[in-house]
Each structure stands twice: as C-alpha cells, then as structure tokens.
Amino acid sequence: MKRGVGLWIAALSVYAFLYVPLAVVVLFSFNDSELNAEWVGFTTRWYAKLLSDQTMLQAAANSLFIAIVSSTVATVLGAMAGLAMHRYKVRWLAFLALTPVAMPEILLGVSLLLFFRQVLDLTLGLVSILVAHITFSIGFVAIIVRARLAGLDESLFEAARDLGATPWMTFRRVLFPLMMPGLLAGYLMSFTLSIDDFVITFFTAGVGVTTLPLQIYSMIKVAVTPEVNAVSTLLMALTLTMIGLASRLAPETLRGKG
Amino acid sequence: MALLEFRNVSKRFGSLLAVDNVSFAVDSGEFFTLLGPSGCGKTTLLRMLAGFDAPDAGDILLDDKSLAGVPPEKRPLHTVFQNYALFPHLTVEGNISFPLEMAGRPKDEIRRRVAGMLALVHLEEKEDAFPHELSGGQKQRVALARGLVNKPRVLLLDEPLGALDAKLREEMQIELIALQRNVGVTFIFVTHAQQEALALSHRIAVMRAGRIEQLDEPDRLYGFPQNRFVADFIGKINLLDVDVLESTPDRLSLAAKGLGTLTAPPVQGVQPGAHGCLALRPEQMRVVAENEDTGLPNHFPGVVRDLLYEGDVTLYRVVLRNGTALEAMIANSAPGRPRFFEVDDRVEIGWRPEAGRYLHD
Ligand SMILES: Nc1ncnc2c1ncn2[C@@H]1O[C@H](COP(=O)(O)OP(=O)(O)O)[C@@H](O)[C@H]1O
Ligand SMILES: [Mg+2]
C-alpha cells in the first residue's frame, strides 16, 4: 500500500513537471490582463487580436502551407523508402533513411544551410524550408510504413496474384489499402513535426519568410504577451489532435509494439 | 488425356534438393493428395504449380501445354493457403468477389456468383463480416469459396485443415468431399495427416525427401504398401524383420530371427536369402490364450506388455520370444464384460498368411 502511494506521487510529479508549464500557457491565454502575473478574469480577446494581426496570420498561412506540402511530399518519398527497406533487407538503406531522425536538429539545420548556400547557391526562403522539412520527415514516415509492412502477412500478396491480380492490381487493391493507416499516420506525424519546427526552420528560412514558431520566437524576445500564449495554445491543440489521430491510425508504431 | 502433368520436375534450394525428379499426372475431376512428413517438398510442388517458384528442371503441363513462364495471375489455378490469407481490409463478400473482379466480370454476374458461393459454404449471414470477426472454420470456408468462385481448372489446397481443432477438422473433411463432388473442380490437396489423406482422396502420392514413394488409391496404399516407409507412414503397422527362405509363384517362406518360419503371399522377383520385413496390420492379428489353438499357420507365443483401451477397440502390445513387439487391435466385447486379456497374460498371437506383406529392404 505504502509503495503504491509513493509510486503515485512519483508519477504525478513527473506528469506535473511535463504539463504544468503547458497548462500555465493555456490558462494565461484566457487571462484578461496584459501581464502574465496574476489571474484577473476570463477573456477571449487575445484570440480575437490574433485574428486581426496581419504578420501573425501570414506566418500561420506559411506554416500551414509548408506543413501540408512538406508532409505530402515526405509521405510519398517516405513510403517508397519504407517499401524499399521492407522489400530489400539491405542494412545501409535503413541506416540512410533513419539517420536524419536521430541527427541533432542543430546539425541538420547547419548542414542544410551550408548545402543550400554554398553548394546550390540558393536564396533561402520557402523552397529551402520545404526541402529541409521534407528531409527530416522522410525518416519518420519510412519507420512507420516499414513497421506497418512488417506486421503484414506476405502470403496476402501471393494470394492476390494467385487469384488473378497483376502486380499493379496487387499493389492497388491489397498492398496500398493495407499501407493506408501507416501512410496517414506518417502524414500526420510529418505535419506535426513541420508545423512546430523551430531550429531547422530558423537556419533555412532566410529573411523573407516567417513561420509561426519563428514569429513566436521574435515576439517573446520583447515580452511574453498573452497573444503569444494564445497562439501557442492553438498550436498545441493542433499538435495534440494530430498525435491523437496518428496513434489511433497506427497504434503499433506509436505505442512501441511494432 | 491428363488435365495436369508433372514431368521430371526438380527444385533445388542451395544444396538441398527439395523436389527430386517428380513425375505424376492428375485427371480432371480428381481429388488428388500429396501426403508426406513436414519438409518433404509438398509446398514446393504446389508453389511451382501456382507459379510462385520455377522448377530447376522438368516441366509442368496443363492441358498438355507447358506452364513455364506463365505468371501466377495467368494460370487458371487458385490456391487455398494454410493460413487462409484472407484480405483483412475486405469483407467476406469483398474477399470472394476479388477473383471475379480481377477477371473483369460484370457487376451483376459477380453479385450472383458470390451469393451462390456463400450459400454453398453456408455463410450467407457473414457476407458483411471482416475476416477477424470469423472463427477458424468460417475463415476456412471463405478461403474455399474465394478459391472456387471463378471456377479454376484446379484448386490447390495446402494443409487447409491444419489450423482447425480435431472435431472441426472432421466436419470440414466431410464438407470438402461434398464440395468437391458438387463443383466438380479438380483438387490437389496437401497434407501430412495420413488419416485425412485416406478419408478424402481418390489417389494419394506419398512423398519422402522430395520424391514420390508410392502413388495409389487409398485402399491400395493401405493394403499394399510398396516399401517400409509407406507401410509405416500409412496407418498403424507391425514390421517384423525376416529373411527369405524360399520364393515360389504361390507363396513366400520366411524366417523370423529367434521365432521360426512363417509363410506370406508371393512377391515377384524376390530371391531366397533376401532380407526384408513382413508388414502386418494390427486389425489383422488374432490373439488367444496360450493354451488355445489359433487355427492359423503363422502364430507365436508372447506376453501382453501394454494395452490401450480405445472404447470400440483395444490395442494389445504382445512381446514375442525374440523381443519383437506386435500390436493387435481387437474389437471389444459388449459393455460390462471383462476385457479379453490383461497385462502380463501369456497369449498366442497369429495371423492368416494372406494378411502379411513382405517388403524388400
Ligand atoms: N525458399 C526456400 N529456401 C530454402 N529452402 C526452402 C525454401 N522453401 C522450402 N525450403 C526447404 O525445402 C524443403 C521442402 O519444403 P516444403 O516444400 O515447404 O515442405 P513441406 O511442404 O512438405 O513441409 C524443406 O527442407 C524446406 O526447408
Ligand atoms: Mg508445407
């Protein structure tokens, strides 16, 4: 009994450690005061203010655009990588696709910056951010897709051929539908990673284009305003929804069973 | 003309000769079984027939035309896999329509034929169920329906009853026989269970280590096994080591070491001095108390070592003077009566000469 209580306290403090800061942000986004100091009263005016802030809206639009395009491309490429990793059990193939997942973001950011500027002589902007986001998302999609494929019975594809399906029809009618939950999960994962990425975006954004995380950062350099709390809360809600959806669609990947 | 023919087919996996120069022909409408212990090459034969593997040597012919180079989807053969391989994302109806859709049949024809198939395998109620909602026996039926719906020339079945429990397996055996008779499709059935093979098949090819040991009808296989392996693999059997004393056109005279002489039906081409074994089915053996007369020319004294009561019959294990144990299967007397013999009883065990079969080593 005693040990049970101790365990509960330990668990609760860990969760408190994780979630209290987030809860404070959410709470103060509804606080009717300019200062993040004490609770004055409930309001939604910071959210209204967000909606009339042109810079903020532009940043949000950029973020959404980048997230949608990069996760779409990353899902297609990542699915191919995952398929290849599953089909041809070549060590270095998996290694190459998965390295960006484990690579420190700062390293990836710096190396992409050098690559774009020194090697390609590209002006940093939307394209460079997109390429960067696609790069770090592919590995995640590949892992999810491969886990999904590993759980499938190979004889299903032979059964399809046996019952008259050409290789293409086998892909369309059997393999693709069975991969679908993995693809969706991979897409949502990439979307989440992209929309709240700061470090890599910071290195590859250049001057012209701002995303939501970059915008938040430039605002808090002055002060943590309630508006920052509000936009952070929205971002958090979006991220949680995505993660929730992804874990529903591909539980074996995100719950560590695959 | 045979529907299907294997001509000197061999298949090698690395240094292992999985299929070794196999030839046989299957007639239209036949229920043909490949029987043998696990690893003897049955699945490899089916995979070559279905088109998943190519033979290293030899040829497989359907309607006298070689199947070499024909991809699986172009062969008019369908397979029922051991694990059923039902598509998990499709309903029962979706699974059964799959081959018809692949063949580009019109929608109303698909609906009609799927409904007919569902009725045939008694699954009308499960049309909209997904595979994970079905029991083992129901999955089995869906796999059969899916394999049969597009009227293949041959249906291949790779140990389809292996995953079912004993009672269900027996029910499915009866259904399979009826199903095959109703649809008239040629079945090539793979199993390692000899009882199943005997119960279902028109003909059986007994395989060992990539070769066919004997190809025969079930009763011929049971009654006239051609070698020690087949005799031992099919049903229960006693094998008594013997030397040939005399071989004439109407009988063999044999010597069993430490026992004496006995007679057996003639076997062509056997020379005196040859060594082999005498195969005796347990149900052909007679056992009497030691002082009684069996009335049979082949009989020896022995002691009941074990007995196995099986309800309708009892299996007695009788140990002879030379240490050989012979099993005798004897029908039990009416309920409530004592058993004929008990362990340690001294008995006389015998058999009619025609019941024995000499197998050359
Ligand atoms: N793809 C393969 N690679 C290597 N060896 C194989 C392969 N398929 C089958 N074998 C071997 O060939 C032999 C026959 O296998 P199989 O046809 O599956 O036997 P059965 O179906 O009678 O149990 C076995 O020894 C098996 O290990
Ligand atoms: Mg097998």
Side-chain angles (χ1 to χ4, degrees), chain A residues 153 155-156 158-167 169 173-174 177-178, chain B residues 47 52 72-73 77-79 81 83 85-89 99 101-102 146:
Chain A
D153 179 0
S155 65
L156 291 176
E158 285 189 346
R161 294 289 301 278
D162 186 73
L163 294 165
T166 57
M169 284 309 270
R173 299 291 303 274
V174 181
L178 290 173
Chain B
R47 290 179 59 82
F52 300 128
E73 65 269 23
L77 321 162
H78 290 171
T79 304
F81 291 80
N83 60 358
L86 298 181
F87 303 125
H89 59 299
E101 285 169 15
M102 292 304 117
R146 188 179 68 172

Side-chain angles (χ1 to χ4, degrees), chain B residues 226-347:
Chain B
Q226 271 165 17
N227 58 42
R228 203 186 263 256
F229 175 81
V230 175
D232 206 22
F233 197 75
I234 307 278
K236 288 196 180 78
I237 201 144
N238 296 302
L239 296 171
L240 193 60
D241 278 311
V242 289
D243 295 307
V244 178
L245 295 176
E246 194 188 346
S247 173
T248 69
D250 46 54
R251 67 186 195 110
L252 281 178
S253 182
L254 306 169
K257 208 165 280 154
L259 290 177
T261 63
L262 36 93
T263 53
V267 177
Q268 275 201 334
V270 173
Q271 299 301 320
H275 185 80
C277 65
L278 187 67
L280 297 159
R281 294 288 178 195
E283 69 272 19
Q284 304 278 7
M285 310 298 281
R286 289 205 50 199
V287 182
V288 297
E290 67 172 334
N291 45 16
E292 279 179 50
D293 184 9
T294 57
L296 297 166
N298 294 325
H299 65 95
F300 300 101
V303 176
V304 176
R305 173 63 52 81
D306 310 292
L307 55 81
L308 205 60
Y309 177 74
E310 292 184 348
D312 49 348
V313 296
T314 300
L315 207 60
Y316 296 90
R317 207 140 74 98
V318 176
V319 177
L320 306 182
R321 265 201 314 264
N322 68 350
T324 308
L326 294 180
E327 286 188 349
M329 184 190 283
I330 296 173
N332 288 322
S333 55
R337 296 262 200 81
R339 266 198 282 272
F340 292 118
F341 307 102
E342 294 296 339
V343 172
D344 288 339
D345 277 1
R346 300 191 153 277
V347 294

Side-chain angles (χ1 to χ4, degrees), chain A residues 63-87:
Chain A
S63 273
L64 273 179
F65 176 77
I66 291 165
I68 290 170
V69 174
S70 74
S71 42
T72 305
V73 177
T75 302
V76 174
L77 297 179
M80 290 180 186
L83 265 174
M85 274 151 59
H86 178 71
R87 191 77 33 98

Side-chain angles (χ1 to χ4, degrees), chain A residues 58-142:
Chain A
Q58 184 57 51
N62 286 342
S63 273
L64 273 179
F65 176 77
I66 291 165
I68 290 170
V69 174
S70 74
S71 42
T72 305
V73 177
T75 302
V76 174
L77 297 179
M80 290 180 186
L83 265 174
M85 274 151 59
H86 178 71
R87 191 77 33 98
Y88 317 103
K89 316 268 182 222
V90 185
R91 273 267 175 85
W92 55 262
L93 211 64
F95 188 75
L96 280 185
L98 303 187
T99 308
V101 172
M103 185 91 76
E105 279 195 65
I106 186 109
L107 257 175
L108 206 58
V110 170
S111 55
L112 281 167
L113 172 65
L114 288 176
F115 181 70
F116 291 140
R117 293 299 302 134
Q118 316 274 357
V119 182
L120 297 184
D121 196 21
L122 196 78
T123 313
L124 295 180
L126 212 51
V127 173
S128 58
I129 301 177
L130 277 174
V131 173
H133 283 209
I134 291 167
T135 309
F136 70 68
S137 294
I138 286 178
F140 286 94
V141 178

Side-chain angles (χ1 to χ4, degrees), chain B residues 44-196:
Chain B
T44 306
L45 275 178
L46 276 201
R47 290 179 59 82
M48 289 190 287
L49 181 52
F52 300 128
D53 284 325
D56 293 326
D59 204 359
I60 304 171
L61 301 99
L62 186 72
D63 294 324
D64 272 344
K65 283 192 285 289
S66 171
L67 285 173
V70 180
E73 65 269 23
K74 293 267 158 55
R75 302 186 180 201
L77 321 162
H78 290 171
T79 304
V80 175
F81 291 80
Q82 171 158 20
N83 60 358
Y84 316 131
L86 298 181
F87 303 125
H89 59 299
L90 300 178
T91 60
V92 167
E93 193 256 333
N95 267 280
I96 301 177
S97 357
F98 188 89
L100 297 171
E101 285 169 15
M102 292 304 117
R105 314 307 308 176
K107 279 231 158 52
D108 55 333
E109 183 194 333
I110 294 180
R111 206 165 316 116
R112 203 179 58 242
R113 279 166 71 173
V114 170
M117 240 25 245
L118 282 168
L120 193 63
V121 296
H122 318 298
L123 279 175
E124 292 100 327
E125 265 101 86
K126 294 289 177 185
E127 193 179 358
D128 297 320
F130 282 93
H132 71 265
E133 299 165 330
L134 302 177
S135 71
Q138 291 168 338
K139 285 185 196 164
Q140 173 68 71
R141 290 195 179 89
V142 177
L144 281 168
R146 188 179 68 172
L148 286 168
V149 71
N150 199 23
K151 302 205 173 78
R153 303 296 308 279
V154 185
L155 186 71
L156 318 181
L157 304 102
D158 193 354
E159 313 224 9
L161 308 184
L164 305 180
D165 59 57
K167 193 162 157 44
L168 198 52
R169 187 152 56 218
E170 205 161 302
E171 278 171 29
M172 279 309 296
Q173 287 175 6
I174 293 169
E175 281 194 33
L176 263 183
I177 296 174
L179 190 64
Q180 200 258 346
R181 198 176 327 118
N182 286 341
V183 296
V185 170
T186 308
F187 276 26
I188 296 194
F189 185 89
V190 159
T191 183
H192 65 265
Q194 49 92 17
Q195 173 273 336
E196 194 166 285

